[in-house]
Amino acid sequence: MQGFALFPFDPPGDVAALRADLRAWLADHQPQGRIVGRSNCWANFNPDFSRALGAAGYIGMTLPRRYGGGERHPLERYVVIEELLAAGAPVGAHWIADRQTGPLILRYGSEEQRERYLPGIARGEVYACIGLSEPGAGSDLASVRTSARHTAEGWRINGQKIWTTGAHLSHIMLALVRTEEGSERNAGLSQLLIDLDTPGVTIRPIIDMAGNHDFNEVFFDDVLVPHGALVGERGQGWRQVTAELGLERSGPERYLSSHALLEALVDAAGSEPDPAVARLIGELTAEMWTLRQLSMSTAAKLAAGEDPMVEASVVKELGNAFEQDMPRRVQAVVDCGWDDPDDLARLLRTLLIASPSFSLRGGTREVIRGIIARGLGLR
Amino acid sequence: MSAARDMLCDTARAVFAEAAGAGMAPVEQAGFDLLLVAESEGGFGGDWGDVHAVLRLAGELAPDLPVAELILSGLGEAPEALHAAAAVSLMAGSMGQALALSIEHVNTRQQFGRPLGKFQAVQQSLAVMACEVAAVDAAAAALAARLDATGLDAEACDFEIAAAKLRANRAVGVVTAIAHQVHGAIGFTREYDLHRVTIPLMRRRSQHGNDALWAARLGRQVAALGGRGLWEALTARA
């Protein structure tokens, strides 16, 4: 059967110079602080860093200049984000706005929405969260019940979102809501862009098992937003969200979240490593190198205007498995105490506890495998 | 893919289909020993991208035959590492065939009143297998690009050869196990074609460097680079 064809990753311009400039910029601007902040770094909020990164032109890179963007090629942006992730830079504050909300507003949004939100996103000042999951709708997204009623004054929203990452630090939420009364499943859904300081919005923290406050419950109690909050076409929310998920699944964050641990392992091993540690480093490196090829190829396909839904799911599935496997295998081979104070032990502890979430966020492992199976012609 | 490579693949497909029953004679007659020989010396003047495409088909259709050895004989004394690189392409082809046979089987075979492929447990297994096959395909294609970029300099490609052969080796266990599991008893018979690809896959995991050999070699190389040096080397190599 036809194999996975590698799509050539060929960004325009001088890629080596792009990397070198960014590395020099990071040497001056990346906060030094706790090593554990370098792992899972796209969950690490740092608005000061985001603003500086935006001012340097590294956010909203692909947006048109008239909205504050850089009009750069999507693969130049890919190079920049893989460098930021490999360095463990704290990109969490602007991550979702830069990766998907900005591009989605550009693609489906009104002129008014573009002018209002995109410049702030590109400056690293406006942060977004994604309102998809609800108490009765997680993996089964078509069960969304939060409603928005069309009235003379605007849209009236009632309902609840849950597991909303970064809602408490975000300015806007792109929410999937039911706009057509009595509609079922994936029909009758629309996307609304909601300013989170609107009266009637209540955000409550959910503390995760690591003790961190990343996700939230968000309640909408008769929240009134203007008619202009509708993004794209009324009733087409499902199609728009599905397109958004393609952007979400194949990026380098699916295999580079734990890169700080691999670096720490290599540094701890020294130039004359123990044979078992050397073999582990070799196996992890082979997997990472392969994942990078898959991710770059999928990014190139996306940049060429194709919709590589199955390839994106393959990257996510293999990337999640790699990132969950790595801390477990390091723990099995390296002699290091649970409470040791050194970098390797700290990263190991942090990632062992954080990694169960990797195959839950952005589509569970089971959902992703289902998408791949459909691509194989099995469903 | 170029028109020349398309034609090469059409020829290779026909030759390997015949060779699957007749042995090496059709392959030798087709002149695959000239694939890597320069045009100025009367050869085909192919690159490793061509070798990869041909060997992937060999791995699919005639995985038992010494096609890689024949092609590499065109280089005179080819370094051992190029034999390992060739094995990755063969393994990618054999794994693709194992996946194709598995999909066909589960979509045809009925149990409990429906095709096996309608059961989620079977779908999830095959999704895992498909990911492994995609990974080996990507590794083989990326290695081919690197070999061509360096003019088949095996030493300049030591990193990629080690990474690709190791990744292919590690996929063998998962791919052969799932292919046989979803086939049930029929896949374990001599009559059915699955063993024609799974046994060569098991053999190739040991040939031209098993997991331990390449993992140790790659691991020592990376340790010498240091943590940050790994990322710098990876991005400098493309």
Side-chain angles (χ1 to χ4, degrees):
Chain A
M1 90 182 266
Q2 176 78 36
F4 183 100
L6 215 54
F7 213 87
F9 183 90
D10 195 13
D14 186 343
V15 176
L18 181 63
R19 286 189 199 282
D21 288 349
L22 178 53
R23 286 173 190 177
W25 187 89
L26 279 172
D28 291 337
H29 293 86
Q30 185 171 358
Q32 292 309 308
R34 298 183 319 145
I35 184 76
V36 295
R38 294 197 177 211
S39 63
N40 201 15
C41 68
W42 51 290
N44 191 352
F45 273 71
N46 184 330
D48 288 338
F49 179 81
S50 290
R51 275 191 291 272
L53 193 68
Y58 292 120
I59 301 179
M61 285 179 71
T62 61
L63 298 175
R65 278 188 211 284
R66 65 180 185 283
Y67 304 126
E71 290 189 8
R72 306 291 288 268
H73 193 276
L75 298 184
E76 292 181 287
R77 176 179 177 273
Y78 184 98
V79 168
V80 165
I81 60 169
E82 73 165 1
E83 286 292 331
L84 290 168
L85 293 165
V91 293
H94 66 271
W95 187 256
I96 288 168
D98 179 55
R99 179 181 70 185
Q100 63 202 95
T101 318
L104 198 118
I105 291 172
L106 180 69
R107 183 165 168 193
Y108 296 111
S110 65
E111 192 54 36
E112 187 197 332
Q113 287 166 340
R114 292 175 185 170
E115 283 170 8
R116 177 158 177 206
Y117 296 109
L118 295 182
I121 287 176
R123 283 195 305 271
E125 290 174 1
V126 171
Y127 311 138
C129 60
I130 308 168
L132 293 179
S133 295
E134 296 186 2
S139 290
D140 179 15
L141 209 50
S143 296
V144 159
R145 285 172 58 195
T146 296
S147 69
R149 203 157 35 84
H150 192 265
T151 69
E153 312 90 65
W155 296 99
R156 231 172 238 294
I157 309 168
N158 281 287
Q160 181 192 351
K161 294 291 176 183
I162 196 168
W163 316 127
T164 316
T165 299
H168 58 305
L169 301 162
S170 298
H171 306 93
I172 51 177
M173 172 192 280
L174 189 56
L176 184 68
V177 296
R178 197 163 288 284
T179 46
E180 315 311 313
E181 229 179 309
S183 64
E184 282 186 24
R185 301 300 297 165
N186 52 17
L189 298 170
S190 304
Q191 284 189 299
L192 291 183
L193 203 45
I194 303 167
D195 288 334
L196 288 172
D197 59 4
T198 310
V201 177
T202 309
I203 299 171
R204 286 198 200 136
I206 302 175
I207 306 301
D208 67 30
M209 67 185 248
N212 296 321
H213 175 197
D214 283 337
F215 45 45
N216 302 273
E217 292 179 286
V218 183
F219 299 88
F220 300 94
D221 184 11
D222 239 6
V223 173
L224 181 69
V225 296
H227 290 128
L230 178 73
V231 178
E233 233 178 294
R234 184 171 170 176
Q236 291 299 310
W238 181 261
R239 193 173 50 84
Q240 293 173 204
V241 161
T242 314
E244 186 181 0
L245 293 176
L247 298 173
E248 187 180 335
R249 285 179 176 154
S250 63
E253 69 269 32
R254 297 299 172 194
Y255 74 95
L256 283 174
S257 301
S258 311
H259 189 68
L261 178 61
L262 182 55
E263 283 199 359
L265 174 69
V266 173
D267 287 334
S271 55
E272 296 290 332
D274 167 86
V277 175
R279 283 197 298 274
L280 176 60
I281 291 171
E283 287 175 359
L284 294 173
T285 301
E287 187 65 30
M288 188 191 66
W289 174 79
T290 307
L291 272 161
R292 185 160 179 264
Q293 309 303 327
L294 284 164
S295 173
M296 290 195 301
S297 168
T298 307
K301 227 171 161 177
L302 266 171
E306 295 192 37
D307 180 19
M309 179 75 136
V310 175
E311 285 98 323
S313 299
V314 169
V315 172
K316 186 174 186 302
E317 164 72 7
L318 287 171
N320 289 164
F322 167 65
E323 292 200 320
Q324 291 180 331
D325 223 22
M326 171 155 41
R328 296 172 193 152
R329 292 172 66 192
V330 171
Q331 184 180 34
V333 170
V334 174
D335 181 24
C336 123
W338 182 257
D339 291 315
D340 284 358
D342 58 288
D343 285 358
L344 185 60
R346 282 175 195 276
L347 283 167
L348 193 51
R349 211 156 58 221
T350 304
L351 283 167
L352 280 167
I353 294 172
S355 59
S357 70
F358 296 174
S359 53
L360 304 174
R361 61 185 182 188
T364 66
R365 166 169 296 136
E366 290 73 17
V367 165
I368 295 294
R369 287 182 182 171
I371 292 170
I372 296 168
R374 186 181 295 135
L376 296 174
L378 299 181
R379 298 174 66 189
Chain B
M1 216 160 37
S2 68
R5 188 171 296 165
D6 280 340
M7 279 175 58
L8 175 68
C9 287
D10 287 344
T11 305
R13 201 174 283 111
V15 169
F16 296 143
E18 191 189 342
M24 275 303 274
V27 187
E28 283 161 5
Q29 278 158 25
F32 279 106
D33 52 332
L34 297 174
L35 183 57
L36 281 173
V37 176
E39 281 179 285
S40 58
E41 291 165 32
F44 181 84
D47 59 13
W48 198 268
D50 295 321
V51 173
H52 166 59
V54 167
L55 288 180
R56 205 185 172 287
L57 287 168
E60 198 179 307
L61 301 167
D64 258 332
L65 299 177
V67 180
E69 289 77 358
L70 180 71
I71 292 174
L72 287 172
S73 72
L75 294 176
E77 277 297 295
E80 167 66 13
L82 283 186
H83 286 275
V88 178
S89 299
L90 287 163
M91 291 162 87
S94 296
M95 289 184 196
Q97 180 66 358
L99 179 61
L101 288 171
S102 300
I103 292 169
E104 195 188 319
H105 179 74
V106 304
N107 277 339
T108 317
R109 172 75 168 156
Q110 305 250 346
Q111 295 278 272
F112 306 104
R114 47 185 171 149
L116 287 174
K118 296 291 172 200
F119 291 92
Q120 283 195 345
V122 174
Q123 291 172 359
Q124 299 262 314
S125 282
L126 283 183
V128 171
M129 181 180 174
C131 286
E132 292 299 298
V133 177
V136 177
D137 261 323
L143 170 58
R146 173 73 182 169
L147 279 164
D148 282 330
T150 60
L152 303 194
D153 181 343
E155 269 176 51
C157 301
D158 52 357
F159 183 99
E160 288 80 6
I161 292 171
K165 181 61 165 69
L166 178 54
R167 187 62 186 84
N169 281 354
R170 288 176 61 80
V172 168
V174 180
V175 168
T176 56
I178 295 177
H180 279 289
Q181 189 62 33
V182 302
H183 269 89
I186 190 73
F188 193 63
T189 61
R190 182 162 176 165
E191 176 195 354
Y192 190 84
D193 274 348
L194 185 59
H195 67 83
R196 290 172 52 85
V197 287
T198 52
I199 294 175
L201 280 171
M202 295 170 191
R203 193 174 66 239
R204 290 217 160 82
R205 188 174 189 172
S206 304
Q207 283 175 340
H208 309 300
N210 70 355
D211 304 30
L213 181 135
W214 288 114
R217 207 184 275 191
L218 186 58
R220 283 196 302 269
Q221 216 183 108
V222 171
L225 291 167
R228 185 61 197 172
L230 165 61
W231 180 253
E232 286 167 2
L234 209 63
T235 51
R237 300 172 80 99

